[in-house]
Amino acid sequence: MNPTLTQFGEQMSHLTGVRAIMKDIIETLRSSNGREFINLSAGNPVILPEVEQLWRDCTADLLASPEYGEVVCRYGSSQGYQPLIDAVLEEYNTRYGLNLSDRNILITPGSQSLYFLAANALGGYTTDGRLKQIVLPLSPDYTGYGGVTLVPEALKAYKPTLDIDEAAHRFKYRPDFSQLEINDSTGFVLFSRPCNPTGNVLTDDEVAKITALAEPYNVPVFIDSAYAPPFPALSFTEMTPVFGKNVVHCTSLSKAGLPGERVGITLGDEQVIQYLEAFLTNMCLHSSRYGQAIAARAIRSGALTEISERVIRPHYQAKFQVIEAALDQAMPSDIPWFLHRGEGSIFGWLWLKDLPMTDWEFYQELKQVGVILVPGSAFFPGLQESWRHTQECFRISLTATDAELETAAQRLAQVVQQVYGRLPVTV
């Protein structure tokens, strides 16, 4: 059967970003004929024993409670499961001195679905034919932003400035405020903090500048806080979530060990929340109540915040230190390689300046020595101008063992030497 697709159907039936790359990775692993690969492409969080036990305990408590039937055997409110709403509001109001009410919160089936709601409620063409843009102020950013809008021309990203420490082989992206434009054609602004894939954390001042640019035009600023405090607290540098009248704070429980249940949390202006809730209702009624019910227990008890700070953050921070030290030791000092400053998330971000091939071609070369990284060009959605840098970067997952990270760094260095015309590759 070969039905005719609509314009939207044609667009949404194709994989974008890393999902398209993952197809090649899966096929590579399946056809390996027993050959072992160090797979540093994973976006799945590590199943940490203490984190898994937390969710087991919360599940056991739910199963033993009289509310189990109400949770899984009945429909619920589109806004979300009330005990989870109450737990989240208490956590954020107490921790950050806020005054949020249940009119300021929406629970979504993961944060990716939230950005789909926002992209198509606030971005695209208005009823009078004007194009409202979705502005990504700092590129690269989360690859998933490239697939959320039904109007691709609405997505617009801006090149960053680069702070480069050549001696240390480190760098950091910063918003280029001389180029960034937010005006009455902007539907909303979107960025991740900490950033997937780079680990970048925009400073409080940078966030304040962005929100100040947006405020006169009544433009909401969506801050993707899937790696931020209080859970999963995957920030390795001091940071506090930013709130404000035009800020929509978006977080998720995926990197807090619950990716399979798709629980996203949105905090923001009452009117924006109402728009998103109506969209969600029309799309899927409401999020899974089982995931919400166990999340309510983990948050209300304080266990999720505690385990995020004591277990989750230290695990990934230590992993970044492993890959950082391994690259420093293995990579040739006379080749222009740069690791992004590790400020948060579960990834490292490597820039091979003046790479004499594309990122996809280098990815294929790495597979020959049994290492899989994610080519970085998938992480520049909405960037409309040509920039060689987009094909010189790679995402490194921190979900591997220490030994795998160290071995991968050694093999990576060998391939770098080869492609830059230094030494032959030996494994």
Side-chain angles (χ1 to χ4, degrees), residues 181-254:
E181 188 175 1
I182 299 172
N183 53 38
D184 57 7
S185 294
T186 306
F188 71 103
V189 178
L190 173 62
F191 58 87
S192 58
R193 181 180 188 252
C195 177
N196 170 3
T198 67
N200 192 20
V201 173
L202 270 67
T203 67
D204 288 352
D205 286 345
E206 289 167 342
V207 176
K209 286 182 181 179
I210 293 170
T211 57
L213 287 172
E215 187 174 354
Y217 300 99
N218 202 29
V219 169
V221 177
F222 283 64
I223 302 179
D224 181 348
S225 303
Y227 295 86
F231 38 77
L234 278 165
S235 50
F236 309 152
T237 186
E238 192 67 31
M239 68 160 286
T240 301
V242 174
F243 302 91
K245 61 182 180 180
N246 68 327
V247 171
V248 181
H249 179 85
C250 318
T251 192
S252 162
L253 299 186
S254 292

Side-chain angles (χ1 to χ4, degrees), residues 74 109 165 302 343 379:
R74 291 187 179 277
D165 185 341
E343 298 176 334
F379 295 93

Side-chain angles (χ1 to χ4, degrees), residues 154-169:
L155 195 64
K156 184 175 183 179
Y158 286 87
K159 276 177 57 176
T161 60
L162 278 65
D163 281 353
I164 303 172
D165 185 341
E166 293 189 2
H169 292 278

